[in-house]
Amino acid sequence: MMKNKITNEEKSLTLTPTIFHILVVLSGGERHGYAILREVQEIAEGKSSLGPTTLYRSIRTMLDGKLIEELDERPDPESNDERRRYYRLTDLGVKVLSDEVERLESLVKIARQKNVLIGSRRVAVWEK
Amino acid sequence: MKQPPSDVWLILSAWVYKSLIFTLPKEFRRHYAAEMTLVFRDCCRDAYRRAGFYGLIGELSSSVLDLIVNAAKERILILISDKFDRSFFLATAVLAVTAGIFAAFTDLHNNNTETPLLLILTFGFALGFVHPRVFWLSGSLIGLMMPAIHFIALVRGWRVEYPNDSSTPLWAFLTLLPALTSSITGAGFRLILKIIWGRLN
């Protein structure tokens, strides 16, 4: 059952850009570590320098915060290495992700209203 | 598209990475080391297909940097966490600083390098053997005492047995090499003994 309110414990989890990216990737279904890493690099368009250690530290944080869970069985046991572990979003993970997307959307909306994304205006502000 | 990298390079880069994984805390390694190595190997294969040998080197460098930075963060987290045994940590630190100061003062009053070097190697090995979990701490502290004492000697104008100029404290940083090497050796030696003992029993 999905919770409506986010508890204090859940609030204490810092949603870093890496964790946000991983949540976005996992919203497409269960993935193993390498697949997560590749997809994060793709959606970050080469701007992410996510390495294996950062990836697994983030995964640990998300497991501790119950944003994701490890699958007991591999989706495709025959074609994959047995050592690979698969992860998927929990209900709480889905809620935290959608809340964050909403927050970012409203922030972008405000930014657009204020015309901060227009290059010429930014230059004009700096020239003052 | 380039051919897959030869096994030699892949094995070599995986070996380097696996060796450095030991910088991470034991608990973290136990859960994620095998999978991290697997991900690293996949990254290396991809990097080689994309950019050849230099791509492989680039991947190795960035992964090693990522590993070292995160290992430092993990160690710091343990140091400030409630689970950490502060008295044990403090005892090792005090012993290492004392040993380092002793070796440094021996160096100040000695014209040869053999005696202080021998002291550093002995202390480093002993502390690494006794407290293998914090070999990095004892090695670093023993090694850092030499430049620190030389710097103080230079500032305070202490009389030393050899010409002491502004470059001496910088050269003294080289002491970190034997200090860390000996403490790693001490910790490794204890590990080997533990394995042998386990096999015998």
Side-chain angles (χ1 to χ4, degrees):
Chain A
M1 181 87 181
M2 204 188 295
K3 293 175 197 171
N4 289 324
K5 280 185 181 176
I6 296 179
T7 63
N8 285 338
E9 196 179 281
E10 290 151 19
K11 271 185 195 167
S12 69
L13 182 87
T14 314
L15 209 61
T16 62
T18 305
I19 291 180
F20 178 69
H21 278 121
I22 296 172
L23 288 175
V24 171
V25 166
L26 289 177
S27 66
E30 60 264 344
R31 302 273 191 282
H32 56 70
Y34 182 61
I36 296 171
L37 192 117
R38 276 285 155 261
E39 279 193 50
V40 167
Q41 284 171 348
E42 272 173 32
I43 59 173
E45 294 172 338
K47 287 172 191 164
S48 161
S49 55
L50 181 64
T53 323
T54 309
L55 172 73
Y56 282 97
R57 280 188 78 215
S58 305
I59 284 176
R60 186 192 55 184
T61 307
M62 289 189 288
L63 285 169
D64 290 346
K66 296 184 172 53
L67 299 184
I68 60 170
E69 62 190 359
E70 200 183 311
L71 265 69
D72 292 332
E73 39 189 67
R74 283 168 293 126
D76 188 5
E78 283 179 15
S79 63
N80 286 294
D81 194 309
E82 278 180 19
R83 290 169 295 177
R84 287 197 198 282
R85 280 184 263 180
Y86 282 76
Y87 304 95
R88 71 171 163 219
L89 285 186
T90 58
D91 286 347
L92 177 66
V94 174
K95 166 129 185 70
V96 168
L97 177 62
S98 57
D99 283 355
E100 183 65 3
V101 170
E102 271 175 31
R103 190 186 70 82
L104 290 173
E105 266 175 355
S106 64
L107 203 64
V108 170
K109 202 175 158 187
I110 293 166
R112 284 190 199 283
Q113 280 167 1
K114 289 182 180 287
N115 284 337
V116 292
L117 297 180
I118 298 170
S120 58
R121 185 186 155 87
R122 195 168 56 203
V123 170
V125 169
W126 279 106
E127 279 172 354
K128 277 181 191 173
Chain B
M1 189 182 279
K2 292 196 165 63
Q3 291 297 311
S6 71
D7 283 349
V8 177
W9 290 117
L10 203 64
I11 290 167
L12 196 68
S13 50
W15 180 81
V16 171
Y17 192 73
K18 271 172 101 171
S19 319
L20 289 169
I21 274 185
F22 278 88
T23 54
L24 285 163
K26 196 177 176 183
E27 191 69 14
F28 190 88
R29 284 201 316 263
R30 199 163 57 82
H31 281 100
Y32 302 109
E35 236 188 322
M36 276 170 62
T37 314
L38 211 61
V39 170
F40 171 74
R41 279 187 184 181
D42 288 341
C43 288
C44 283
R45 276 198 196 97
D46 260 18
Y48 187 83
R49 282 194 195 104
R50 277 199 320 272
F53 177 73
Y54 292 107
L56 184 69
I57 296 296
E59 185 59 48
L60 177 66
S61 322
S62 63
S63 295
V64 165
L65 185 68
D66 174 63
L67 175 64
I68 291 169
V69 169
N70 280 294
K73 285 181 185 173
E74 282 291 313
R75 296 279 175 195
I76 292 166
L77 278 176
I78 291 173
L79 286 182
I80 57 174
S81 74
D82 294 337
K83 283 184 276 179
F84 185 73
D85 184 355
R86 285 191 181 83
S87 55
F88 169 78
F89 181 78
L90 200 68
T92 312
V94 169
L95 279 171
V97 168
T98 312
I101 290 173
F102 182 68
F105 272 98
T106 310
D107 186 50
L108 287 180
H109 297 97
N110 230 310
N111 206 8
N112 62 50
T113 51
E114 289 86 359
T115 317
L117 184 65
L118 191 67
L119 283 173
I120 285 166
L121 291 173
T122 312
F123 290 142
F125 184 88
L127 281 174
F129 184 83
V130 176
H131 294 155
R133 270 169 57 205
V134 283
F135 72 85
W136 52 275
L137 176 79
S138 43
S140 309
L141 286 176
I142 291 172
L144 285 172
M145 284 308 110
M146 192 67 84
I149 296 296
H150 274 87
F151 180 73
I152 294 168
L154 191 72
V155 171
R156 304 289 301 257
W158 290 345
R159 202 179 139 267
V160 292
E161 295 294 318
Y162 46 84
N164 194 16
D165 56 30
S166 56
S167 66
T168 315
L170 292 176
W171 280 107
F173 272 102
L174 285 174
T175 322
L176 275 168
L177 282 173
L180 280 167
T181 311
S182 58
S183 61
I184 291 170
T185 313
F189 187 64
R190 179 166 166 150
L191 185 71
I192 292 166
L193 283 184
K194 200 176 161 185
I195 292 167
I196 295 170
W197 185 255
R199 292 258 165 98
L200 289 174
N201 294 286

